[in-house]
Amino acid sequence: MLDNLGWLLQGFEQAATPMNLLYAVIGVLLGTAVGVLPGIGPAMTVALLLPITYNVSPSAAFIMFAGIFYGGMYGGSTTSILLNTPGESSSVITAIEGNKMAKAGRAAQALATAAIGSFVAGTIGTVLLALFAPAISRFAVTLGAPSYLAIMLFALVAVTAVLGSSKLRGGISLFLGLAIGLVGIDSLTGQARATFGLPQLSDGIDIVVIAVAIFALGEALWVAAHLRQKPAEVIPVGRPWMGKSDWQRSWKPWLRGTAYGFPFGALPAGGAELPTFLSYITEKKLSKHPEEFGKGAIEGVAGPEAANNASAAGTLVPMLSLGLPTNATAAVMLTAFVSYGIQPGPTLFDKEPLLIWTLIASLFIGNFLLLVLNLPLAPLWAKLLRTPRPYLYAGILFFATLGAFAVNIQPLDLVLLLVFGLLGLMMRRFGLPVLPLIIGVILGPRIERQLRQSLQLGGGEWGSLFTEPVAIGVYVCMALLLLAPLVLKLMHRSEETLLVVEDDKDQREKAESK
């Protein structure tokens, strides 16, 4: 531990040189910019800059990549909150409450809690990365397909059990998402499913295209359909900073989101989508103001954004200690290691300690720079909402189209954008919640893959799904989640029946005494 602290101090010394600080600033600015643009994520930016960085030292290159990585997470929340246009799939959950807060004149508070929550989670996550990278990686690789399957099924159950007042509408939306997730080539049989003979759909439909269409285009079409029925509302800017109650309602979600995000980021089949969603439903369950969810609850922004950035720190654990990328950005960064002649894997901390600890130190620096850059800009970003409605939604449509096209650079994605935009309009028209659809699209293919792996390893026996302690624990939690409302309802009915019986008994005793 003391050796690690010594290396970390040397990493700070290396990362704090004027030239490396310049690369850190460039990285966070680029990362924030690409996070704001839907579809143009950190992975694409790192990949585009990879050839350019061959002329600089490895430490400078990775410092800039770290800035882009964290900056992309920050930038994605900005358009999610202001324009209901997620820049990354991990920012989808933020759009649900963040955009409602913006429309209620609380855009600055939403942006501020997202920025501070990202800083808190990123800092804690980086500390955990420095302390426990090897140990967490060893635990992560012990989890098999049954455990991953159980965790993802738990998320689907939570969709219908916790979210929304109508279980039927939530179930319909979830079914639509799972059906969309089936599009593509079957990984086991090689058969095309719902591709309509189009080779461009062989790899499925990108989640960014679907999220941008459902949120941004669906919202724009809905507003356009109602502009003539009622005058355009002027969205108030509101107070520029977070108040005392905002701080009180945000700090616990920041910590809980961090607790969700970091372990999931470290899992080989993790990612930021699942922890942000679990953070959201946890905050809804624990909130003292559950009636505000769906109308702009600050906890619904604070928790998921913290989970998002903590997950970003967690993804570096298996990348640095095992050479195992868990997302696209980590995969491109591993390519950069190889291009510099550095072999990623368990020996990386021993062979290149100064480079790795400089990278970890640069995460602290980049995280601080992002807070300094983003927090003062929150009130200015909020004033974007004062833009006249036609210009604002024209801008949303422009960025949505640009983002959808940038994902795969193919015209078919623009057609899909329109189709799913119309689906988003219909869902708003008939009151179907959007989140179950997005969760179904994200988790559907993963659940299918983990289910097949579990059954293959167990020789087709269904009992193989219950062979890991983590899986059994998650299934127990799932059963409690499903049975708790039923038990509480039965207890409530029995109490009512008991009160009625006691009331009748009292009335009879009074009648007899007379």
Side-chain angles (χ1 to χ4, degrees):
M1 190 70 71
L2 290 175
D3 290 342
N4 290 349
L5 181 60
W7 279 115
L8 182 60
L9 292 174
Q10 289 187 46
F12 270 110
E13 187 179 342
Q14 181 84 3
T17 62
M19 188 55 68
N20 284 341
L21 284 176
L22 177 62
Y23 282 115
V25 171
I26 293 171
V28 297
L29 289 174
L30 282 173
T32 305
V34 299
V36 167
L37 296 175
I40 308 175
M44 184 183 294
T45 310
V46 172
L48 290 172
L49 291 175
L50 199 54
I52 302 172
T53 56
Y54 293 156
N55 299 321
V56 300
S57 66
S59 59
F62 284 107
I63 285 170
M64 185 164 67
F65 291 159
I68 292 170
F69 191 32
Y70 270 9
M73 300 296 177
Y74 272 77
S77 65
T78 303
T79 48
S80 292
I81 291 168
L82 296 179
L83 307 180
N84 206 24
T85 308
E88 290 284 304
S89 58
S90 54
S91 301
V92 168
I93 309 300
T94 305
I96 296 169
E97 299 298 330
N99 190 247
K100 293 288 194 303
M101 286 184 68
K103 289 181 176 178
R106 289 171 50 77
Q109 285 74 37
L111 290 167
T113 194
I116 298 170
S118 296
F119 172 76
V120 170
T123 302
I124 295 174
T126 308
V127 170
L128 294 174
L129 168 65
L131 293 176
F132 304 115
I136 291 175
S137 293
R138 282 194 296 271
F139 170 74
V141 296
T142 62
L143 296 182
S147 295
Y148 291 126
L149 175 65
I151 292 168
M152 292 174 190
L153 286 175
F154 178 81
L156 287 191
V157 169
V159 168
T160 53
V162 178
L163 294 179
S165 55
S166 171
K167 303 293 187 290
L168 176 61
R169 289 177 178 174
I172 292 171
S173 179
L174 179 62
F175 174 79
L176 286 172
L178 293 172
I180 295 168
L182 287 175
V183 175
I185 298 293
D186 188 317
S187 59
L188 188 64
T189 64
Q191 295 292 317
R193 299 187 302 197
T195 60
F196 303 99
L198 297 171
Q200 296 95 325
L201 294 179
S202 299
D203 293 330
I205 304 171
D206 196 281
I207 181 60
V208 173
V209 175
I210 298 169
V212 168
I214 294 289
F215 282 97
L217 192 59
E219 174 75 11
L221 292 174
W222 178 255
V223 170
H226 290 78
L227 269 179
R228 293 184 179 181
Q229 296 179 17
K230 60 180 181 179
E233 301 173 7
V234 177
I235 300 174
V237 172
R239 290 184 293 109
W241 302 111
M242 292 171 64
K244 184 179 179 181
S245 64
D246 294 327
W247 283 93
Q248 291 174 343
R249 292 176 59 179
S250 293
W251 71 270
K252 289 181 181 178
W254 290 337
L255 297 179
R256 284 192 287 260
T258 304
Y260 273 122
F262 187 78
F264 273 95
L267 293 174
E273 294 88 356
L274 193 56
T276 54
F277 167 67
L278 291 175
S279 172
Y280 180 80
I281 61 174
T282 300
E283 296 312 322
K284 183 174 182 180
K285 202 73 175 174
L286 298 178
S287 175
K288 295 179 181 177
H289 309 277
E291 72 283 353
E292 290 186 18
F293 277 78
K295 300 175 183 177
I298 195 168
E299 297 94 336
V301 179
E305 271 304 300
N308 185 11
N309 266 57
S311 174
T315 57
L316 297 177
V317 174
M319 187 194 86
L320 295 177
S321 56
L322 297 174
L324 182 67
T326 59
N327 62 16
T329 310
V332 178
M333 290 176 75
L334 276 183
T335 305
F337 274 113
V338 176
S339 68
Y340 279 107
I342 300 168
Q343 186 59 42
T347 60
L348 192 59
F349 275 89
D350 296 325
K351 290 184 177 179
E352 297 287 343
L354 184 58
L355 174 63
I356 298 306
W357 288 104
T358 301
L359 172 61
I360 293 173
S362 71
L363 293 174
F364 285 104
I365 294 171
N367 210 24
F368 176 73
L369 287 174
L370 281 163
L371 182 69
V372 171
L373 287 171
N374 281 275
L375 204 53
L377 290 176
L380 296 177
W381 282 116
K383 289 182 180 178
L384 275 178
L385 296 172
R386 301 302 296 270
T387 306
R389 190 73 68 86
Y391 301 117
L392 179 63
Y393 282 94
I396 292 173
L397 291 176
F398 172 77
F399 285 115
T401 306
L402 177 65
F405 187 71
V407 173
N408 298 307
I409 318 295
Q410 60 183 25
L412 179 63
D413 284 341
L414 299 180
V415 178
L416 294 173
L417 182 74
L418 179 59
V419 170
F420 287 112
L422 292 172
L423 175 63
L425 174 64
M426 290 296 101
M427 291 180 71
R428 284 167 173 79
R429 168 65 181 81
F430 294 105
L432 296 179
V434 173
L435 183 58
L437 181 142
I438 298 295
I439 295 299
V441 173
I442 292 171
L443 295 185
R446 299 184 186 184
I447 288 173
E448 181 186 18
R449 184 165 58 251
Q450 301 298 341
L451 175 62
R452 285 178 163 179
Q453 285 183 11
S454 300
L455 292 176
Q456 284 174 338
L457 292 171
E461 295 291 333
W462 288 98
S464 61
L465 303 181
F466 306 95
T467 54
E468 296 187 3
V470 173
I472 295 170
V474 172
Y475 284 127
V476 169
C477 293
M478 196 186 308
L480 292 174
L481 182 67
L482 289 172
L483 294 175
L486 181 62
V487 172
L488 289 173
K489 186 181 289 186
L490 291 174
M491 289 174 62
H492 183 64
R493 284 184 179 177
S494 64
E495 286 177 1
E496 287 182 343
T497 305
L498 187 61
L499 288 172
V500 169
V501 170
E502 289 179 352
D503 190 44
D504 289 343
K505 185 179 179 181
D506 290 341
Q507 288 180 359
R508 283 198 303 269
E509 289 176 351
K510 287 179 181 177
E512 290 173 359
S513 63
K514 288 179 181 179

